[in-house]
Amino acid sequence: MSHIPLPHAQISAALALLRAGELVGIPTETVYGLAADASQPAAVAKIFAAKGRPADHPVIVHIAGAAQLAAWAQNIPDEAYLLAEAFWPGPLTLILERQPHVSPAVTGGQDTVGLRAPAHPLTHALLSEFGGGLAAPSANQFGHVSPTTAEHVRGEFSPEVLQLVLDGGPCAVGVESTIVSLVGDTPKLLRPGGVSRAAIEAVLGHPLEHHTNQHSAKQRVSGLLDSHYAPRTTLITGHAEQIMAAAAQRQTAGERIMVLSYSAIQSATYPLHPMPTDSDNYAQALYATLRQLDLAGYDALLLELPPHTPEWLAVQDRLHRAAHHKLS
Ligand code: TXA
Ligand code: MG
């Protein structure tokens, strides 16, 4: 990537807006983010207003690398540096005890802060020049599918709210970062994502507790709410036989449907949109596919679930939250 010239004019424009307390759309390797200067609470408040997101939900602070960890977190355990060394820049967010100066606008009023160094070269260059931290949730309206292209982001916000979206092309990973909490006795997996659980456990040398279905009032993780990441069209998930039966029934009833097949469904009876059979390619395509099919005005999208094996953990998690009806 280092041979590709970076669009410095775009980065300069982004820096000026961010320093002035405005929002900028930024590419990351996972999904696009809606960024504001994390040290300006009024700028961070604009993110929540633009997204329609409840103000008590914490946002991730994006930094250039592990050298900035101590600017945002304190009492940092060795494991944080081990994981940062292994996976940064990359799709891993670490939850750590916050520094006292970190605004409640960023932390949702909690004692912790989420930190991540994204790998996209454009945003990495932006963060290096910016020097501080960028608060950035995914750049979508609250509850909607996360954006994986600059065009998706422009479709989510009016130009008055968001003047600039840095175009870094389609996101390579396509689902959000893995979130690991290093607060408390043992590291916990709060959200499966771009870095696999097995890869993290290999670095830590012990198993991770998996806590994605637990959301107490003390630790609010909006990405853990059901009906998150959802398309506007009714999405129905299930195994091949369930999807085939539902498709036949709905078609007989005169509905316009699309079947998102994984592997077992091969039929000329209903329209098929074949999904990638490899978990990385599936993740990369998932949100863009849901957005594309959302525009086609179907009555329902019927999706054949991929297998419940470890490499599909992040995709299964997002499908579970995106589905309006689960047949299995
Ligand atoms: O890949 C990603 O993580 C993308 C890109 C833009 O970096 N960001 C993203 O942000 O997915 P968002 O806000 O859509 O989801 C971040 C998740 C939320 O579920 C939020 O609640 C959680 O991280 N989070 C942030 N700070 C936290 C904290 N201090 N404690 C617990 N959860 C936290
Ligand atoms: Mg989000």
Side-chain angles (χ1 to χ4, degrees), residues 28 30-33 51 53 58-60 62 93 95 107 110 112-114 116 136-138 176-177 179 190-191 219-224:
T28 85
T30 58
V31 302
Y32 274 72
K51 281 188 59 118
R53 183 179 182 166
V59 283
I60 295 169
H62 297 73
T93 297
I95 307 296
T107 65
Q110 304 180 69
T112 56
V113 62
R116 155 162 133 81
S138 52
E176 296 80 354
S177 60
I179 304 182
L190 297 185
R191 180 175 74 181
Q219 201 161 51
R220 286 171 296 261
V221 183
S222 68
L224 301 189

Side-chain angles (χ1 to χ4, degrees), residues 235-268:
L235 176 68
I236 299 160
T237 58
H239 300 313
E241 312 78 61
Q242 296 169 319
I243 293 299
M244 287 190 277
Q249 193 185 18
R250 283 173 179 263
Q251 232 181 6
T252 306
E255 285 191 26
R256 267 190 80 227
I257 56 151
M258 177 57 80
V259 173
L260 291 84
S261 59
Y262 166 66
S263 68
I265 302 179
Q266 276 143 16
S267 160

Side-chain angles (χ1 to χ4, degrees), residues 14 17-26 33-48 59-62 72 106 126-127 130 132-137 162:
L17 285 165
L18 291 166
R19 288 182 179 134
E22 298 298 334
L23 304 179
V24 174
I26 58 167
L34 183 65
D37 181 351
S39 70
Q40 297 185 47
V44 176
K46 289 181 184 173
I47 296 175
F48 290 86
V59 283
I60 295 169
V61 175
H62 297 73
W72 298 91
V106 167
L126 176 71
L127 284 165
F130 186 64
L134 292 178
L162 186 60

Side-chain angles (χ1 to χ4, degrees), residues 97-164:
E97 194 181 314
R98 69 169 169 84
Q99 282 281 0
H101 71 82
V102 185
S103 163
V106 167
T107 65
Q110 304 180 69
D111 297 331
T112 56
V113 62
L115 294 165
R116 155 162 133 81
H120 195 288
L122 196 50
T123 291
H124 185 74
L126 176 71
L127 284 165
S128 301
E129 279 197 53
F130 186 64
L134 292 178
S138 52
N140 51 276
Q141 293 296 320
F142 183 62
H144 193 215
V145 178
S146 298
T148 56
T149 68
E151 196 189 343
H152 293 161
V153 181
R154 286 189 219 103
E156 293 275 338
F157 306 98
S158 73
E160 295 84 66
V161 169
L162 186 60
Q163 293 172 50
L164 178 65

